[in-house]
Amino acid sequence: MPGSSWSGALPPLTAAQRALAEELRRDVAALCAGAPRSVPETLVQPANYIERELIAAGYTPARQHTSQGDNIEVEVRGTSKEIVVIGAHYDTVDESPGADDNASGVAGVLASARRCAGRRPRLSMRFVFFVAEEPPNFKSETMGSYAYAKRCHDRGETIAAMLSIESIGYYDPRPGSQVYPPLLAPFFPSTGDFIGFAGNTHSGALVRECVGAFRRHAKFPSEGAAMPEAIDEVGWSDQWSFWQFGWPALMVTDTAPFRNPHYHRPSDTPETLDYERTARVVEGVIGVADEIGGRG
C-alpha cells in the first residue's frame, strides 16, 4: 500500500474533530433508540431520521422502494458522467441494536454527506443508505445494495468507485485484540487500533488509491488489502453487490467480528464505541472522497 500507516500516539483532537465526534455520537444514539432495525416495519423510523438529516443538510433525498424497505440516496452532481457511491446499510440483525454494525457506518456517511453538500466535484458523489444487508438477505439479490447496483446497471450508469462504510466505531489498543480469517494473520497487526480498506483483486487499484489518500489526510493507523473473493470475508458487506456488475468497490471497516466482541449481540450499544477515533477515521474518509471525486 502507498504511504505509511500512522504509528505511535495519536495527536490531540482538533476542535473540528471534537465536534465531529459529538455529531457521530448523536446519530448513533438516534439510530439505536428503537427496536433492532431488522424488518421493514422497524426500518421506517431510522429511514425517516436519515431522510430528515439529509434534508437539513440541504439535499432532496430520493427513495428506492424494495421488498425489504427503502434505499435512500442523495447526490452531489459532478461535471463527469462517472459516479462515486459512498454507502452504508442501516438494518441490523434481530437481536442487536447495531451500534457498530452499522449505525457507525451510517453516521459516517451522514457526516460525509453534510460536509460535501454544495460542492462541485468532477465525479458525481452519491451518498446511499441501504436496507437488507444482514441475513437472510446477505450476499443475495434481495440485498438493498444489490437492487441499487442493478438499477445503476440497468440505467447504463458508470460507477467509478464504491466505498462501503461498514462498522467503523470499535477500537481496542491492547496487544492481541485483533484476529483475522485464516491465512491473513501473518501479514497484518495484532492490535485492533486501525481502520481497514478491503477489496477484491479487481478493485486493487481502488484500494491502493483510497489507502494512499487516507494516509495523506488522516493521522490514524490504516491497513489495506485486495484479496481473492475465495476469501469469503472480503465480501462481507454491500461492496459485494457492486462486484456482481463488475465495478470496483471496497469496504472501509474496523473488521467487525475479528475485533469487536459485541458483534451481532445485544451488547452492540452506543456506549461501546470510540467516537474520538471514529471522528479521525471519518475525517480521513472525507479526504478520500475529495480525492477520488475531484473536489470542487
Side-chain angles (χ1 to χ4, degrees), residues 199-206 226-227 229 243 246-249:
N200 61 359
T201 51
H202 174 70
S203 306
L206 177 64
M227 297 168 281
E229 289 182 56
W243 294 346
W247 290 317

Side-chain angles (χ1 to χ4, degrees), residues 198-283:
N200 61 359
T201 51
H202 174 70
S203 306
L206 177 64
V207 174
R208 290 182 58 82
E209 182 180 10
C210 289
V211 170
F214 184 87
R215 290 175 174 176
R216 285 188 287 274
H217 289 275
K219 295 177 179 178
F220 193 83
S222 58
E223 300 293 335
M227 297 168 281
E229 289 182 56
I231 300 174
D232 188 56
E233 294 85 352
V234 74
W236 277 7
S237 193
D238 294 299
Q239 73 279 3
W240 176 88
S241 297
F242 289 78
W243 294 346
Q244 307 316 301
F245 298 93
W247 290 317
L250 57 75
M251 172 172 54
V252 182
T253 183
D254 61 19
T255 76
F258 299 103
R259 174 188 306 172
N260 189 342
H262 309 291
Y263 176 76
H264 281 191
R265 295 177 180 270
S267 56
D268 185 12
T269 56
E271 58 269 20
T272 64
L273 304 190
D274 186 328
Y275 296 97
E276 293 187 354
R277 281 185 166 86
T278 307
R280 298 174 193 267
V281 168
V282 172
E283 187 178 72

Side-chain angles (χ1 to χ4, degrees), residues 94-197:
D94 285 340
E95 63 273 20
S96 177
D100 195 32
D101 184 20
N102 186 33
S104 64
V106 172
V109 177
L110 278 172
S112 301
R114 291 178 184 121
R115 285 154 180 78
C116 290
R119 293 182 182 173
R120 184 66 167 166
R122 184 175 63 83
L123 276 62
S124 292
M125 307 292 296
R126 287 188 188 166
F127 301 93
V128 189
F129 303 85
F130 301 115
V131 291
E133 188 267 357
E134 300 287 2
N137 304 292
F138 185 65
K139 280 194 170 183
S140 78
E141 294 184 7
T142 60
M143 288 177 73
S145 56
Y146 185 93
Y148 185 85
K150 183 178 186 302
R151 190 182 71 177
C152 293
H153 174 267
D154 293 347
R155 289 177 173 179
E157 295 175 338
T158 301
I159 307 300
M162 188 274 174
L163 278 62
S164 174
I165 313 302
E166 172 65 57
S167 303
I168 59 169
Y170 191 87
Y171 302 90
D172 189 338
R174 295 175 299 174
S177 57
Q178 182 71 47
V179 297
Y180 296 93
L183 305 179
L184 297 183
F187 304 100
F188 297 102
S190 61
T191 300
D193 63 349
F194 64 89
I195 193 70
F197 293 77

